[in-house]
Amino acid sequence: MLEMASGDAALFLGNQDVLELGSGIGLPSLVIASLPSAPRRVEASDLSSTLTSQFERNLKRNEKAIRQMCGCVHSRVINWDECLSPLRGDVEGVDIILGADIVYNPAHAKTLIAALETYLNPGGKFILMNPPEKKRKGLDAFLQELHKRGVVTVVSFKLLESHFRCWSLPLHQSNAGEIPSTIHNMDLIIFTKAFLCLPSSS
């Protein structure tokens, strides 16, 4: 995912602060924090405190391996709705925000945009993995709002899955005779935040 977004995951992640929104149990955050090219700080967030607690338990089980690569890994509850109003106190921004299939409600055109405006530093990147075949409600409106605030690139690819392994190929490199067992169409939406953004739509 990161290599497709940047061409060089090590260069992309090095010395960066990363936030995952709608992380669930935070598997992407755990994987990123365990990479040799791990970022400076990784934070998994979700609306559910139950899920963030599960992330902390998973982190503890893998703490030795993860802490060797990334010294600052934790989780917290983030409610996107609260970002619609100015948050109290200073908000520490991040360089990269990740999300996987987190736009599925028309309200996200406002709430997720507000969260990105709150937490993503100017010039930072938001990377969203989205399954286009699910035709998520609110995605078109969300993309329209993104375009008002920076540069948006969409990369379509196929996720090829075997019993114990999965990998990704650009659409033009796929071959029906070589598909292992299951194929998933995916869009990688890459947003680079402008240094001067328009205010949120009311």
Side-chain angles (χ1 to χ4, degrees):
M1 176 177 174
L2 290 170
E3 287 181 353
M4 292 187 70
S6 65
D8 188 337
L11 181 63
F12 189 61
L13 287 172
N15 203 36
Q16 303 291 300
D17 294 326
V18 178
L19 170 66
E20 184 183 359
L21 293 175
S23 62
I25 61 173
L27 180 58
S29 292
L30 291 172
V31 171
I32 289 169
S34 66
L35 294 175
S37 56
R40 176 173 51 200
R41 175 169 63 98
V42 176
E43 187 172 50
S45 70
D46 202 279
L47 177 61
S48 168
S49 58
T50 300
L51 291 174
T52 56
S53 296
Q54 180 63 54
F55 173 83
E56 293 294 340
R57 289 192 290 271
N58 290 337
L59 176 60
K60 189 173 182 179
R61 294 188 186 102
N62 300 278
E63 187 170 19
K64 185 176 180 180
I66 290 175
R67 297 294 186 190
Q68 290 176 346
M69 300 300 176
C70 183
C72 184
V73 186
H74 58 98
S75 67
R76 64 166 159 160
V77 172
I78 291 182
N79 184 341
W80 304 349
D81 290 351
E82 294 177 353
C83 297
L84 293 170
S85 301
L87 298 182
R88 295 180 179 178
D90 294 332
V91 175
E92 189 174 4
V94 299
D95 308 297
I96 302 169
I97 293 181
L98 305 176
D101 195 15
I102 58 174
V103 178
Y104 48 83
N105 187 312
H108 294 160
K110 293 183 178 180
T111 58
L112 180 52
I113 286 291
L116 294 177
E117 290 184 333
T118 299
Y119 293 104
L120 187 61
N121 290 332
K125 291 187 181 296
F126 169 60
I127 303 172
L128 172 66
M129 184 174 284
N130 177 71
E133 293 177 345
K134 293 187 177 180
K135 301 185 183 301
R136 294 302 196 191
K137 293 181 178 179
L139 182 63
D140 289 342
F142 173 72
L143 291 176
Q144 289 177 6
E145 292 298 321
L146 279 186
H147 278 286
K148 296 177 184 178
R149 293 161 171 80
V151 178
V152 179
T153 303
V154 180
V155 179
S156 297
F157 65 99
K158 293 180 181 291
L159 191 68
L160 308 180
E161 180 182 359
S162 65
H163 292 292
F164 301 104
R165 181 182 179 188
C166 66
W167 60 96
S168 61
L169 290 175
L171 286 175
H172 69 276
Q173 293 184 12
S174 63
N175 186 315
E178 298 175 358
I179 296 175
S181 57
T182 306
I183 185 167
H184 307 278
N185 292 317
M186 287 288 173
D187 284 342
L188 197 64
I189 299 167
I190 307 159
F191 165 71
T192 303
K193 184 178 179 179
F195 284 86
L196 178 62
C197 294
L198 297 174
S200 299
S201 59
S202 58

